């Protein structure tokens, strides 16, 4: 999880079923800029394609969330997984 450990910790502390964030909010949480790949849906959709071993995917999954991203507005909604 490494560089996305702060995201996992942040999401784990949340009580709401959904958390809305801008990409900038997310960068503040992780303490670094998101990679350019985060502007592509494949960076967010890896869990859907079976490549769920990426550090970002492990971070939100370990906290019990999945992302729903709007690349145009650079917003992400993390939804709690039942």
């Amino acid at each position: 999880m490494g560089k996305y450990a702060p995201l996992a910790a942040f999401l784990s502390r949340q009580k709401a079923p959904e958390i809305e964030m801008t990409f900038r909010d997310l960068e503040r949480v992780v303490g670094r800029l998101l990679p350019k790949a985060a502007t592509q849906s494949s960076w967010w959709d890896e869990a859907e394609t079976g490549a769920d071993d990426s550090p970002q995917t492990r971070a939100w999954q370990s906290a019990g969330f999945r992302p729903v991203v709007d690349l145009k507005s650079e917003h992400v909604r993390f939804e709690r997984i039942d």
Side-chain angles (χ1 to χ4, degrees):
M1 202 171 334
K3 60 185 166 185
Y4 295 102
L7 175 61
F10 171 82
L11 291 172
S12 293
R13 291 190 303 267
Q14 305 308 304
K15 303 295 183 209
E18 296 181 350
I19 295 94
E20 295 271 347
M21 302 177 80
T22 66
F23 284 13
R24 298 309 143 249
D25 295 334
L26 190 52
E27 288 172 340
R28 281 190 283 278
V29 168
V30 298
R32 60 179 26 181
L33 295 176
L34 293 175
K36 286 188 181 210
T39 62
Q40 304 296 315
S41 61
S42 60
W43 192 83
W44 299 94
D45 295 340
E46 289 182 344
E48 308 262 329
T49 62
D52 60 354
D53 61 341
S54 67
Q56 71 273 14
T57 301
R58 285 194 311 269
W60 54 67
Q61 285 182 342
S62 71
F65 285 87
R66 69 172 167 223
V68 177
V69 67
D70 181 339
L71 294 174
K72 256 186 194 175
S73 67
E74 295 190 342
H75 279 79
V76 61
R77 181 178 70 247
F78 288 100
E79 298 177 339
R80 193 170 298 281
I81 301 168
D82 291 329

